[in-house]
Amino acid sequence: MKLDDLLGEYYELEQQLADPEVHADQGRARTLGKRYAQLTPIIETYRALKETESDIEAARELAAEDSSFAEEADRLTAEAERLTDRLRFLLIPRDPADDKNLIMEVKAGEGGEESALFAADLVRMYLRYAERQGWKTEVIDTTHSDLGGYKDITIAFKNKGTPEPGTGVWPMLKFEGGVHRVQRVPVTESQGRIHTSAAGVLVVPEAEDIEVEIHDKDLRIDVYRSSGPGGQSVNTTDSAVRITHLPTGIVASCQNEKSQLQNKEQAMRILRARIYAEAQASADAEAAAERKSQVRTVDRSERVRTYNFPENRISDHRVGYKAYNLDQVLDGELDGVVKALVDADTKERLEAAQGS
């Protein structure tokens, strides 16, 4: 969409949101308010750029009489360049899910108990990162291992308000999906040998009820007894719930809550997100079959990152990122690797937009 069209839409939204009748329909008001918040950074940057360009012109005219204004013109010119770059970034076509919350599943893979412990390290890393970003988190479902790791854990990451383009939960964490490999001496290793194991990470945007229509007749709901570490039962009732969406074969389960109803609600939440993600992936594939994004078309079954403890090294294999601060990364300082992935995606989107 062109900038003039966005300006027109923004002014129209201002008028609509000023109408008391609009707020009588909370759903409509929320939708309009969300779009208004999305457009605000673009419009504010555009206005700041125009004001700066006007100031540059005035400073250059005054510089003919007072040389001190030449320095001011140079400063304003640098600011105009910064605002231009920001506006260009804000106008890049966005992922439709950019302002959505995210559901992440971390699963132990090859490596047994060591893999489950590594999965727990990844979970702590993501939770600490979310804390640094000011996001809210909610553990939806967990299955622990005997040594305190995670066989499987599902977590929701939630935005704080309406994030600016490119700064929300989904755009910052959507590239975490894939196989994460660890190289270290396991706690179960008596001879001090370095082992390699892996954990899988799945990320999907959380869908709202109105975005995914699910009919009761398309669901098969099974209940079973919740299990704890090692497979032992943690209660005596069949409160755990597994839901299968028959048309797609997508399955979601939950056993964390005490009641069957609560587990069903959480499982439906996961199921809805997975169905939305699959539908979005299919739409993206059809719309961009010819594009070969280094980041976004990565095979989720492939290794995406390696955590090497002996060298204190983290490597992301999709964009060639490498750093020797693994201890800090595992403490939640993910900024470097996240930025490398986001920058690669931004560059590819910008090139695609300029070529279209």
Side-chain angles (χ1 to χ4, degrees):
M1 185 177 287
K2 294 181 179 180
L3 186 55
D4 288 344
D5 295 331
L6 294 178
L7 284 165
E9 182 184 358
Y10 185 78
Y11 295 138
E12 185 178 340
L13 285 169
E14 277 188 325
Q15 293 176 346
Q16 290 179 306
L17 289 169
D19 184 352
E21 291 186 7
V22 168
H23 294 274
D25 184 343
Q26 292 186 354
R28 185 185 176 208
R30 186 163 52 248
T31 299
L32 294 177
K34 188 175 182 179
R35 179 58 176 164
Y36 184 80
Q38 291 172 343
L39 291 178
T40 295
I42 298 174
I43 305 306
E44 288 181 345
T45 302
Y46 172 74
R47 288 172 174 170
L49 176 60
K50 289 302 176 185
E51 183 177 341
T52 302
E53 289 174 340
S54 177
D55 289 344
I56 291 172
E57 186 176 344
R60 285 175 176 165
E61 289 178 1
L62 293 169
E65 301 175 7
D66 186 344
S67 60
S68 64
F69 282 98
E71 184 176 333
E72 176 67 3
D74 290 341
R75 185 192 68 79
L76 290 169
T77 298
E79 174 64 7
E81 291 175 355
R82 186 192 70 80
L83 290 169
T84 299
D85 288 341
R86 174 166 170 75
L87 185 60
R88 186 181 295 116
F89 168 77
L90 292 172
L91 289 172
I92 295 173
R94 296 286 158 193
D95 184 327
D98 261 12
D99 61 347
K100 293 187 179 299
N101 296 326
L102 174 145
I103 291 180
M104 173 185 288
E105 185 175 4
V106 182
K107 298 175 70 73
E110 56 188 67
E113 200 63 56
E114 160 65 3
S115 177
L117 291 172
F118 175 53
D121 290 337
L122 290 178
V123 168
R124 179 179 179 276
M125 175 183 76
Y126 290 127
L127 292 178
R128 291 297 298 272
Y129 180 65
E131 183 181 345
R132 292 171 185 268
Q133 300 298 319
W135 300 333
K136 295 181 180 179
T137 57
E138 175 192 359
V139 176
I140 298 176
D141 194 32
T142 57
T143 304
H144 291 276
S145 69
D146 291 332
L147 296 183
Y150 292 115
K151 293 181 179 179
D152 196 338
I153 180 169
T154 304
I155 310 168
F157 292 80
K158 304 176 182 180
N159 288 306
K160 185 178 181 180
T162 301
E164 286 195 13
T167 65
V169 169
W170 178 250
M172 301 293 277
L173 289 180
K174 65 180 177 180
F175 304 121
E176 293 305 304
V179 176
H180 295 239
R181 184 178 70 167
V182 62
Q183 295 171 324
R184 66 182 176 186
V185 179
V187 295
T188 54
E189 170 57 53
S190 59
Q191 299 181 20
R193 292 174 299 186
I194 297 174
H195 287 231
T196 298
S197 61
V201 177
L202 171 70
V203 290
V204 292
E206 182 163 11
E208 298 177 16
D209 292 355
I210 58 173
E211 295 175 304
V212 178
E213 188 175 11
I214 300 177
H215 301 288
D216 290 342
K217 64 181 179 62
D218 292 333
L219 300 177
R220 186 179 73 236
I221 300 176
D222 301 306
V223 296
Y224 56 98
R225 191 160 299 176
S226 301
S227 60
Q232 73 267 29
S233 174
V234 294
N235 61 40
T236 57
T237 62
D238 291 339
S239 62
V241 175
R242 181 187 301 108
I243 304 177
T244 304
H245 185 242
L246 299 175
T248 61
I250 295 174
V251 179
S253 61
C254 186
Q255 64 171 9
N256 251 34
E257 305 297 339
K258 294 182 179 179
S259 78
Q260 188 180 117
L261 179 60
Q262 289 173 315
N263 280 323
K264 180 183 176 183
E265 290 176 350
Q266 295 287 45
M268 281 297 296
R269 185 177 170 187
I270 298 170
L271 183 71
R272 191 177 299 113
R274 289 179 178 172
I275 291 173
Y276 175 87
E278 183 166 288
Q280 191 64 50
S282 298
D284 289 345
E286 291 177 8
E290 75 285 356
R291 293 175 64 188
K292 301 293 183 182
S293 168
Q294 182 179 15
V295 174
R296 280 177 284 129
T297 60
V298 65
D299 185 342
R300 294 306 186 198
S301 67
E302 292 182 353
R303 178 192 66 195
V304 297
R305 194 174 296 155
T306 295
Y307 303 72
N308 185 299
F309 276 69
E311 298 180 12
N312 197 36
R313 169 172 53 83
I314 180 167
S315 306
D316 193 286
H317 308 293
R318 295 163 293 181
V319 292
Y321 176 86
K322 185 181 294 184
Y324 292 86
N325 63 337
L326 178 57
D327 53 338
Q328 297 172 14
V329 169
L330 289 173
D331 195 41
E333 294 185 22
L334 269 169
D335 296 315
V337 65
V338 168
K339 184 177 185 301
L341 291 159
V342 170
D343 285 352
D345 182 64
T346 300
K347 180 182 178 183
E348 193 267 346
R349 285 182 182 272
L350 184 57
E351 290 174 350
Q354 291 173 339
S356 60

